[in-house]
Amino acid sequence: QALNMEDEIIEVDKKYPESLWNKLGKKASQVLEIEEPEFYLDVGKSFVRFVQNYQFDRLVSRIGRNYREFVMNLDNVHQFLNQRFAQMKAPSFFVESETAKGMTLIYRSKRRGYSFYTIGQMQEISKVYFNLDMSMKLIKREVQFDTLYVKYQ
């Protein structure tokens, strides 16, 4: 009601205005009395649990035998998902650097509002599929022309 939406249920295959994502996050975090980054982080984690019902584990296991391989092949995941969701504006990921303790990951997208959602997804995937408890933090966020660049560590 607070968003003045026509539909009460959000459908997976229905296309919604891009602005709805940010409105939902802003209003939900107010109602829940939490900060927006925390809300988006939790939504990212919840999404990973949701897609387990749709054999997401098969996709993850084919993309990487371990978490590092999975991260290195994230663009392939999105290519695969583009076949199912043709209108999806897929982000791009690449590893800028690696050490024995971790990596620096660059995320590029035309879409705004997914920086903390991405952290939630990555943390939950590492935990659920690779039995790895990892931390991830946003180091830098900037927009160049129409593309958002985010650096994580």
Side-chain angles (χ1 to χ4, degrees):
Q1 288 178 329
L3 293 171
N4 297 322
M5 290 178 56
E6 293 175 20
D7 302 326
E8 291 185 17
I9 297 172
I10 295 179
E11 299 174 34
V12 175
D13 291 330
K14 187 174 177 182
K15 184 166 171 53
Y16 294 93
E18 190 69 33
S19 60
L20 182 61
W21 175 255
N22 292 324
K23 287 179 185 177
L24 280 170
K26 193 173 294 297
K27 191 53 80 174
S29 60
Q30 288 172 356
V31 169
L32 297 169
E33 298 179 351
I34 59 175
E35 296 294 320
E36 281 184 63
E38 182 183 352
F39 170 76
Y40 287 119
L41 188 101
D42 289 343
V43 171
K45 290 178 179 182
S46 296
F47 180 79
V48 172
R49 291 189 295 273
F50 170 74
V51 295
Q52 283 180 299
N53 298 324
Y54 299 94
Q55 300 178 337
F56 188 65
D57 56 332
R58 286 179 156 176
L59 174 62
V60 171
S61 67
R62 290 182 181 140
I63 298 299
R65 292 172 293 175
N66 57 50
Y67 187 70
R68 179 192 175 276
E69 281 185 11
F70 173 78
V71 172
M72 299 297 258
N73 289 302
L74 275 172
D75 283 354
N76 294 332
V77 172
H78 289 97
Q79 260 184 341
F80 175 81
L81 292 173
N82 257 359
Q83 293 172 5
R84 171 73 168 94
F85 303 101
Q87 296 179 346
M88 183 175 99
K89 296 177 185 175
S92 177
F93 294 86
F94 71 91
V95 175
E96 184 179 72
S97 63
E98 286 184 84
T99 68
K101 293 185 178 187
M103 63 179 68
T104 301
L105 182 67
I106 306 297
Y107 162 85
R108 294 181 299 212
S109 179
K110 303 281 185 196
R111 303 171 81 190
R112 309 292 188 267
Y114 290 85
S115 302
F116 290 96
Y117 173 83
T118 299
I119 294 173
Q121 281 190 322
M122 300 296 282
Q123 288 178 331
E124 194 68 10
I125 287 169
S126 72
K127 179 179 167 185
V128 170
Y129 297 108
F130 299 103
N131 199 27
L132 178 66
D133 187 23
M134 68 92 167
S135 64
M136 185 173 174
K137 62 182 176 180
L138 192 151
I139 302 297
K140 184 178 181 183
R141 183 179 189 276
E142 66 182 351
V143 176
Q144 295 178 4
F145 302 105
D146 64 343
T147 304
L148 172 68
Y149 291 85
V150 181
K151 182 184 277 193
Y152 300 106
Q153 202 164 40

